[in-house]
Amino acid sequence: MSELTAAPTSVSESPQEWLRPAIVEAIGPFTLVFAGAGAIIATGGSNLVAIALAHGLAIGLMVAAAGHISGGVYNPALTVGLVLARRLSLPKGAVYIVAQLIGAVVAALLLKYLFPAGPREAVHLGTPLITGFFSTTEGLVFEIVMTFFLMFAVFGTAIDPRGPRAIAPLVIGLIITMDIFVGGVATGAAMNPSRAFGPALVDNMWTDHWVYWIGPIVGAAIAALLYEFVLLQPEDTSS
């Protein structure tokens, strides 16, 4: 996660240096959608434990595998938070977001190809949706709070030099798993606009889709700004 431990120095950045990180930032959401939405399709959305573990393992393992190349962000909302906290430059953040969305869409297309129509249509290709027991406002709050936890974990373990960086992938994966245990029944616990966007685009399911952008971005922004400008010690901001 060394890409994110210091504020970006845009003078040294060039488009050529962004290619490898961009590839990695596409692979992460590809893995998340393939494993996470795939688990929803495979279980008919009925096995919350399997679904939570599939999502958490997908991101935790991909952070461990390639976080040293791009920072292992894999999430447009976290990308926005990191840009606001000056951990990523705006141009590089934009490249990351495009790559993340592309990776998610490709995974959704592959799931549509691999799974029979019946199972995938029963769960709208794993597109996260707000269930009938919860209002749109409640769903929005769920996504804000859950993504706050996720961004807070990223800063606490992967960015703060005082944190336990060696276990950052484990912590980040477990935070996602924890969030799905509590919020999966409400919103699907996306915490990630690309996770919602890929299946929504391929399945053409846009119900309350804005919640899966606004909620995660707000939650990530609050956590990033709080940690960067309040919880980090002054000497840590230049580390």
Side-chain angles (χ1 to χ4, degrees), residues 11 17 38 42 64 66 70 81 94 120 139 185 195 200 207 216:
V11 173
E17 294 173 315
S70 70
R120 71 169 190 263
V185 296
R195 168 64 185 85
T207 304

Side-chain angles (χ1 to χ4, degrees), residues 64-88:
H68 56 285
I69 298 174
S70 70
V73 186
Y74 307 147
N75 184 330
L78 301 193
T79 303
V80 171
L82 292 167
V83 169
L84 292 175
R86 299 181 298 189
R87 294 285 170 171
L88 275 178

